[in-house]
Amino acid sequence: MRSRLNSLIDALMPVLATLAALAVGAVMLLVLEVNPIQAYAALWDGAFGSSNAMAETLVKATPLLLVALGICIAFRGDVTNIGGEGQMIIGALLATWVGLTFTSLPGWVVVSLALLAGFLGGAVWGGIPGFLKAYFNVNEILSTVMMNAIAVQLMNFLLRGPMIDPAQAQLASKIPQTARLLEIFRLPRVGTTRLHLGALLAVGLAILVYILLWRTTLGYRIRAVGQNPHAARYAGINVKRYMVLALLLSGAFAGLAGAVQVFGVNYRMITDGSASGFTGSAGFNGIVAALFGQLHPLWSIPASILFGALLVGANKMQRVVQVPSALVIALNGLVVVFVVSSEIWRRRRQKRRLADEPASKPGPDASAPAKVTP
Amino acid sequence: MKNAVRLFALLAILVMALGACTPAATPTAAPEPTKAPEVAATEAPAPTDVPVEPEGPFRVAVVMPSAINDMAFSQSIYDALVRIQEEMGGPDKFEIVYSEGMFNVDDAAAAIRDYASQGFDLVIAHGSQYGSSLQEIAPDFPETSFAWGTTVDTFGQPNIFAYEAAADQGGYVNGVLAASLTKSSTIGVVGPIETGDAKLYVDGFKAGVAATNPAITVNVNYIGSFSDVALAAEAANTHIAAGADVMTGTAQMVVGAIGKADEAGALWFGTQSNQTSLAPKIVVASQVYHWEVVLSQMIELIQAGTLGGQSFSINLENGGEVIEYNPDYAVPAEVQALAETTIKGIIDGSIKTK
Amino acid sequence: MIADFFTITVLVGILTSGIRLATPYLFAAIGETFSQRSGVLNLGVEGQMLLGAFAAFYVSYITGNLWLAVLVAIVVGALMGLIMAFVSVNLQAQQGISGIGFYLFGLGASDLLFQKLVGTVKIANSFSPVYIPVLSEIPGLGEIIFQQNVLVYVAFALVPVAWFVLNRTTLGLKIHAAGENPAAADSLGVSIAGVRYFTIILGGILSALAGASLSIAQSNVFQQGMTSGIGFIAVALVYFGGWRPWGVLGGALLFSMVNALQLWIQVKGVGIPSDIAVMMPYVLTILVLVASVSRVRGPSALTKPFEREN
């Protein structure tokens, strides 16, 4: 019971930190002569106010969760993957290609193939930095940053050339987009909302990744390499191979996120010249979601929803009270900084608990929630 | 099992905690849906040919990819709406709301749907990348009128207007002017990525130069970004080093290039917005978009009961595109005359700009 | 055809542009080198750059005084660094992620301030090229190196200074110790917190200068998100340079020279699609690092917050 109470308080911490960040945001809103209560009411309304709002939140959370799952694997294996943006793009490109090429096959076959292609595309784009790190000592932060930029240009090149929508190729404006996916290739949706099967898939995969990391040899080895590569090597684990695998799997989930985004939401690929035009920065925000979820696949689910809600709600806030989009971005930044800073109290409580246990006489004070003074 | 409990607990807390900060606020958030009645008034197709005078203000929502002050694509539509608002008699007659920075296609789609469900009279999706979303949303709101630019495609739907800018026309005129003013016979162009409005403008510009003097070299640089001001500036430096004494460029990051042209004393031609204020010494002329020309046509149609199905273009002929000269730069009379004949030629169709 | 392309004009042009383009990368990456050598990963460089760029632009726009603009940018950078230091040293926050938070904050806050205080695109005073007497008249070389703006000179001068501080001073030793073995250094009386505060604030200042070099030297305007990923590339270049200032210089020059090269390739109409040309600096940076098979190891305590055991 006590342990449940403790984990409850731990879980509360990021929420409190978020509220603290929103309080700072309220000051900014006041400076902009906007009523913060009205603004935050709009934020809430946009994220949870109606069934459609909730669906939108989940739609936003889906790619965040998929990327976050990959991040859990990578960071548990002590490799950093900030190439989610590029991996999403490559996964989406490959999946779209499958969806537009094999038009005579049954729907479920093509969708499965396409999602697999997205998974593989991301795996390649994540695997390359893994390979370069393991065998050429190229730091993965460097290579993933560079490969994000390469993926964007590749997308621009393909969408305005080889993969361009045949209808657009005829027009003078030549919008850089692919043709639309056939209706039978689209992931089923819930009612009139945009909530699609991909959300369920992501939750299912979260459970699978949890099993992978804690119930399989592969996962055990990835974590062992992450915790202490030297010890892992003595234990006979091929450290390099698991380093590559961790980045490869991490990329694969980001690639799948890209594929799901195309098959569940957009039904085609379009570029505005930047990565975030397609990804909505999910490749970056997924990292944040994973760390909010303490690099745990299951905790990443509520973390992604929280972050997705914030993003969706903030856009609504812009629409209702007409604050500049810049404020919304700054606010997201504040939330990230506050949440990550609040971690220290959770860690301290954990430490204290560990210290208390052998003493076997926990005073009532020991379990009292730590004071949060942001 | 333990994890499941923790998970559920967190979700519950999350909802409670977020909920706790809002109940008091809910009433304040209410004003937006109150506009419903007048919507019905505007959108009921007029049974007679007498236009129905709407009771409340005409309500427009616009979704755009960059900021309303980008001195380029997004600002051009926002300014146009403000001009219409002034003409129609202020916010009481013409209400404008906007979502800026919607570079992400999904976010834009959510905004478009939200505006539509709030009963706006006209929802403008100002970005060619939004078309796909619009195609999906518009059938769900048959009473709402949508406008999509820049394109010519209405998807054959009765409540979508399409609009585009014949960027190549003004580009062509700028090209003619540039070709007449260059002394080094080298002209530099800085662009973002090679598509859409940018490509249309640049191709028109090149055609204008070639028609005036085929011996002139036009060097084009697409820097692969709409935001990299520093690289745009360096692209301008590169053009100058390659001998260019006249330059042009399109999209919001070219403001970096204008500064370098100014430093080197190279002439500049603008597009989308009037860029004279950025370098009063060297900007010769700008092609300026006046979307209000087509927007007011759409608004009239909507008020008369036609919600879409037509495609509009701003061009030199209908005054949606205007070549605005810098009053402080003296263009030689014969060059200006050449520009005027070119404009006439484009309007009467004797000059092809593509 | 290659001989056609590489004329003297093009070569001089590439080198001149490359040096100019390298400037923001150098400022930001040298700053990042300091903080990483002391064990702190700062992924918020891009955000600090944007706030620095705006601060410098705004002061220049209002007062026209460029040195005051640089000074204010430095103050803003230091302030951002101070907050960042508090978060990563005192609150021991996960550094990668707090950096992303600072990036988002800087991206939004700089644009918000711009919209509130300036409104639309305006031009400000900017540094013009300084011709170094005599040297600037050397054919070729003079144009490449000695006709640049003053911030370019400062950025390049930083490299030997940073090398000296890191390798030849007690401070450098302390920074090294904080990044390699903070516990041991702490037991010898080195204040890990003090050292890291210093390097993070220095990093903030240099990032802000990188931003200033964009808004009041390389161009004369501010625009939302104008850093366009430069801050992230700068972090990557620290790894390229193996945490050594000279290595960082090599990386910054390589990346920028190839970037300048691709601009010329497009200008000369070599016939490569523009997107593929734009890709070149990113691809080449990876390839060069692969070919060099560096064996440099990063600071052992990088990204690990230090807490004294009681």
Side-chain angles (χ1 to χ4, degrees), chain B residues 65-71 75 98 100-101 192-194 218-231 233-235 237-239 241-243 252-256 258-260 262-263 277-280, chain C residues 9 13 16-18 20-21 24-25 111 114-115 119-123 126-129 143 149 214 217-228 230 259-260 262-264 266-269 273-275 278 282:
Chain B
S66 46
I68 58 165
N69 54 10
D70 68 349
M71 257 213 181
Q75 184 166 0
Y98 63 87
E100 59 172 1
I193 64 170
E194 217 174 328
V218 181
N219 296 323
V220 184
N221 229 323
Y222 285 103
I223 64 160
S225 158
F226 282 89
S227 58
D228 201 334
V229 176
L231 196 59
E234 206 49 50
N237 281 330
T238 306
H239 285 310
Q252 54 269 37
M253 79 298 158
V254 294
V255 292
I258 298 174
K260 291 297 143 185
D262 198 12
E263 236 170 57
S277 67
L278 297 178
Chain C
T9 319
T16 315
S17 290
R20 234 181 340 246
L21 285 174
Y25 295 101
D111 188 19
F114 173 68
Q115 295 197 16
T120 184
V121 187
K122 291 272 167 55
I123 45 173
S126 68
F127 284 108
S128 32
E143 189 181 328
N149 69 64
L214 293 176
Q218 174 70 2
S219 77
N220 56 355
V221 291
F222 178 84
Q223 218 169 42
Q224 54 161 174
M226 74 183 290
T227 48
S228 198
I230 291 173
N259 217 346
Q262 68 89 4
L263 290 176
W264 275 98
Q266 289 194 48
V267 162
K268 285 284 161 184
S274 56
D275 330 88
V278 172
Y282 304 94

Side-chain angles (χ1 to χ4, degrees), chain A residues 179-197:
Chain A
R180 257 181 135 201
L181 295 172
L182 292 178
E183 248 168 68
I184 48 162
F185 296 164
R186 300 171 189 172
L187 293 175
R189 286 182 174 178
V190 179
T192 55
T193 69
R194 293 203 293 173
L195 181 58
H196 54 85
L197 192 64

Side-chain angles (χ1 to χ4, degrees), chain A residues 3-4 7-8 11-12 15 19 35 37-38 40-41 44-45 48 52 56 60 153 156 160 171-177 180 189 192 194 210 261 265-268 270-273 276-280 296 298-299 301-302 305-306 315-316 318-320 322 324-326, chain B residues 2-3 5-7 9-11 13-15 17-19 21-22 24-26 28-29 31-32 96-107 109-111 113-115 118 128-129 131-132 135-136 148 150-153 164 193-197 199-200 224 226 354:
Chain A
S3 80
R4 271 190 201 158
S7 49
L8 209 79
L12 204 65
V15 177
L19 292 179
N35 179 351
I37 296 172
Q38 195 190 348
Y40 287 142
W44 170 264
D45 186 42
F48 299 109
N52 190 55
E56 284 296 318
K60 196 71 171 177
Q153 297 306 327
N156 292 347
R160 64 182 191 82
L171 298 172
S173 51
K174 294 206 178 13
I175 298 170
Q177 64 181 26
R180 257 181 135 201
R189 286 182 174 178
T192 55
R194 293 203 293 173
Y210 168 73
Q261 205 58 8
V265 183
N266 298 336
Y267 302 148
R268 65 160 31 123
I270 309 172
T271 178
D272 72 334
S276 44
F278 166 66
T279 63
H296 192 293
L298 298 178
W299 277 107
I301 299 172
I305 294 174
L306 174 71
N315 280 336
K316 174 81 178 180
Q318 192 206 158
R319 291 198 288 278
V320 174
Q322 293 282 280
S325 59
Chain B
K2 202 179 128 217
N3 277 311
V5 173
R6 284 168 52 166
L7 211 69
L10 175 60
L11 270 174
I13 289 162
L14 211 138
V15 171
L18 282 171
C21 67
T22 47
T26 327
T28 23
E32 24 157 335
I96 309 169
V97 298
Y98 63 87
S99 281
E100 59 172 1
M102 292 286 114
F103 47 80
N104 180 243
V105 178
D106 308 342
D107 288 348
R113 186 174 281 279
D114 192 37
Y115 283 135
Q118 286 176 37
S128 48
Q129 66 268 39
S132 211
Q135 188 175 6
E136 202 182 307
W148 174 37
T150 54
T151 182
V152 289
D153 196 356
E164 65 160 1
I193 64 170
E194 217 174 328
T195 59
D197 190 75
K199 186 171 166 51
L200 215 55
F226 282 89
K354 284 181 206 173

Side-chain angles (χ1 to χ4, degrees), chain C residues 131-284:
Chain C
Y131 289 68
I132 308 250
V134 188
L135 292 175
S136 62
E137 282 153 39
I138 307 171
L141 205 64
E143 189 181 328
I144 295 166
I145 301 176
F146 300 110
Q147 299 180 11
Q148 305 277 11
N149 69 64
V150 66
L151 289 184
V152 175
Y153 299 129
V154 174
F156 279 81
L158 260 176
V159 177
V161 173
W163 171 83
F164 183 81
V165 171
L166 283 171
N167 296 300
R168 291 287 183 275
T169 64
T170 330
L171 178 64
L173 213 61
K174 285 179 180 169
I175 293 172
H176 182 76
E180 287 297 340
N181 195 341
D186 180 62
S187 67
L188 291 174
V190 175
S191 160
I192 303 301
V195 168
R196 288 185 174 175
Y197 256 85
F198 170 78
T199 58
I200 300 171
I201 291 174
L202 183 66
I205 290 173
L206 292 180
S207 295
L209 283 177
S213 80
L214 293 176
S215 65
I216 59 168
Q218 174 70 2
S219 77
N220 56 355
V221 291
F222 178 84
Q223 218 169 42
Q224 54 161 174
M226 74 183 290
T227 48
S228 198
I230 291 173
F232 286 98
I233 301 288
V235 174
L237 290 177
V238 174
Y239 296 98
F240 184 96
W243 295 271
R244 292 163 308 191
W246 293 106
V248 166
L249 174 68
L253 281 177
L254 170 76
F255 185 85
S256 307
M257 292 292 175
V258 179
N259 217 346
L261 169 72
Q262 68 89 4
L263 290 176
W264 275 98
I265 284 182
Q266 289 194 48
V267 162
K268 285 284 161 184
V270 174
I272 301 172
S274 56
D275 330 88
I276 306 295
V278 172
M279 235 184 253
M280 286 173 59
Y282 304 94
V283 175
L284 263 136

